[in-house]
Amino acid sequence: MNKIKIVIVDDHLLFSQSLSFLINSFKEFAVCGNYNNGKDFLTGLKAMDELPDLVLLDVNMPVMDGVETMRRLKEDYQGLRVLALSVNDDEDTIIKMISNGASGYLLKDTHPNMFREALLKVHETGYFYTEMVSGVLINKLEAGNKASLKERELEFIRLACTEMTYREIADEMCLSPKTVDGYRENLFQKLEIKTRIGLVLYAMKNKIVCV
């Protein structure tokens, strides 16, 4: 089995080494690189023949911190999946990291079992949000968002809140996958969200789906 390749970007050497040891103890993963800050990581990315499957990015680092690194990655490496790591749960920082494309946000004292689950979820689905982070995102969604949604858009949102793939949603709505992609991108722009989980949280907040 080909292992999922992970890069760690963290300026604390002992933490980075301990994290590498933990990750390498999981049968599905292998650490393929360690960097001390965002600047060194971005330089390293340019020299890579093959991008990592997942990046663990510390938020607070010298030279270039996690927020600025995420901004650069959003511009040049949009498909790269990044899981933010931090010792604090500051709401503004969480929002900045997620809005710039981070696939999730974990505190560094997260239990190893949840940590492994987060790695798997981000690799498989593209995101992993703890209850804490989900709560922050829900609170930040504009309760007064008056976006006018058509019935077919509402139907798409409800289906997107299930475990169906986008292709399965297209079949259910009797549409082509390309048309469904259009629905998704238009809704992301209209509702000012970035990911499918953001769409789910919007649907929950505005009672489009019941939980």
Side-chain angles (χ1 to χ4, degrees):
M1 181 183 72
N2 291 329
K3 293 196 174 185
I4 300 165
K5 298 183 295 297
I6 294 179
V7 164
I8 299 172
V9 187
D10 195 295
D11 64 308
H12 292 98
L13 181 60
L14 286 177
F15 177 80
S16 181
Q17 290 178 341
S18 298
L19 194 59
S20 294
F21 181 81
L22 175 63
I23 292 170
N24 287 327
S25 73
F26 301 145
K27 64 180 181 180
E28 302 93 345
F29 304 100
V31 174
C32 63
N34 295 76
Y35 296 88
N36 293 326
N37 58 69
K39 183 178 180 181
D40 288 349
F41 171 55
L42 291 174
T43 300
L45 267 183
K46 294 179 181 178
M48 291 181 188
D49 293 328
E50 185 177 357
L51 295 180
D53 299 303
L54 179 59
V55 177
L56 298 177
L57 180 63
D58 186 20
V59 174
N60 300 305
M61 295 179 293
V63 184
M64 183 184 292
D65 65 12
V67 174
E68 179 59 27
T69 304
M70 278 308 311
R71 291 197 186 103
R72 304 287 185 90
L73 292 174
K74 184 178 180 181
E75 293 176 0
D76 301 324
Y77 300 92
Q78 287 190 8
L80 193 60
R81 294 181 175 180
V82 180
L83 186 58
L85 297 175
S86 180
V87 295
N88 64 67
D89 56 359
D90 175 68
E91 289 193 1
D92 289 339
T93 302
I94 293 173
I95 293 298
K96 287 178 182 177
M97 293 299 288
I98 299 298
S99 64
N100 278 301
S103 301
Y105 191 104
L106 283 181
L107 297 180
K108 289 187 174 181
D109 62 356
T110 297
H111 191 280
N113 290 342
M114 178 176 284
F115 178 65
R116 177 175 173 273
E117 179 186 354
L119 296 180
L120 288 170
K121 285 289 187 181
V122 170
H123 178 69
E124 293 169 0
T125 69
Y127 60 84
F128 177 84
Y129 297 150
T130 62
E131 289 185 9
M132 179 270 292
V133 173
S134 295
V136 169
L137 295 178
I138 289 174
N139 290 336
K140 289 294 182 179
L141 286 172
E142 295 182 358
N145 194 325
K146 302 298 183 181
S148 176
L149 297 173
K150 299 175 182 178
E151 184 57 39
R152 288 290 268 175
E153 290 176 324
L154 290 170
E155 180 183 359
F156 171 80
I157 291 175
R158 293 187 186 101
L159 292 172
C161 292
T162 69
E163 295 183 356
M164 297 175 68
T165 65
Y166 285 123
R167 181 171 291 278
E168 289 171 339
I169 291 173
D171 291 341
E172 180 69 20
M173 296 180 68
C174 299
L175 298 171
S176 69
K178 184 175 181 180
T179 300
V180 163
D181 287 343
Y183 271 107
R184 180 189 64 217
E185 296 307 317
N186 288 338
L187 282 168
F188 281 5
Q189 184 175 4
K190 181 185 291 188
L191 303 178
E192 297 182 353
I193 55 180
K194 306 287 184 181
T195 63
R196 184 167 178 172
I197 189 65
L199 191 62
V200 172
L201 293 173
Y202 176 88
M204 293 165 54
K205 182 73 174 180
N206 291 276
K207 297 182 172 25
I208 296 173
V209 295
C210 297
V211 294

